[in-house]
Amino acid sequence: MHEFSVVLNLIEKVVEEAKKRDAKRVIEVELDVGQLSFLNPEQMRFAYNVLSKDTILENSNLIINTVDARVRCGVCGFDGKPDYADDASYHISAPLFLCPICGNPVEVIEGKGCIIKRVRLEL
């Protein structure tokens, strides 16, 4: 559950910015969360509700946008979604970082970050 540490870091950053602007409270926080970050939105919301209590973020709205993964092959030029392999031992579909066209390794272009996109404050 690395969601708790990620959300704790997020809350610390938002509190810091809210203090700089003398905000009364945080109304809303919007995130872009990459598909390859392996952050679970439900667990992030749970962590947000727990960790924001008694802070300026308590009772604020958390919006999580999922950013699809996109990879690029430097050999054949493929640019698109990665293929996934089902592996019953992990109970998830694991991304393959091989080109679905030529089989060479690909570069991840999008979908591995977690970014604070927008914060709405009451001043």
Side-chain angles (χ1 to χ4, degrees), residues 2-65:
H2 65 294
E3 286 81 1
F4 264 79
S5 62
V6 170
V7 171
L8 179 60
N9 191 25
L10 155 87
I11 288 173
E12 290 171 351
K13 296 291 183 194
V14 172
V15 166
E16 183 181 315
E17 288 302 315
K19 283 183 180 175
K20 286 181 188 175
R21 291 163 173 76
D22 291 324
K24 293 178 186 169
R25 68 182 187 102
V26 175
I27 298 168
E28 188 171 86
V29 176
E30 183 174 357
L31 306 176
D32 282 347
V33 178
Q35 197 175 33
L36 297 176
S37 70
F38 299 103
L39 291 167
N40 180 304
E42 286 184 37
Q43 291 178 1
M44 290 184 75
R45 284 188 181 86
F46 177 75
Y48 187 84
N49 288 334
V50 170
L51 297 170
S52 67
K53 286 194 188 311
D54 300 324
T55 73
I56 196 168
L57 285 88
E58 187 169 5
N59 298 319
S60 62
N61 187 31
L62 177 64
I63 299 170
I64 299 175
N65 305 313

Side-chain angles (χ1 to χ4, degrees), residues 35-36 68-74 77-84 95-101 104-112:
Q35 197 175 33
L36 297 176
D68 289 338
R70 193 175 120 226
V71 297
R72 183 179 302 143
C73 177
F78 171 81
D79 189 321
K81 294 181 178 183
D83 277 344
Y84 287 83
L96 298 174
F97 297 106
L98 298 173
C99 178
I101 304 298
N104 281 294
V106 293
E107 176 186 4
V108 176
I109 304 300
E110 287 181 327
K112 58 181 180 180

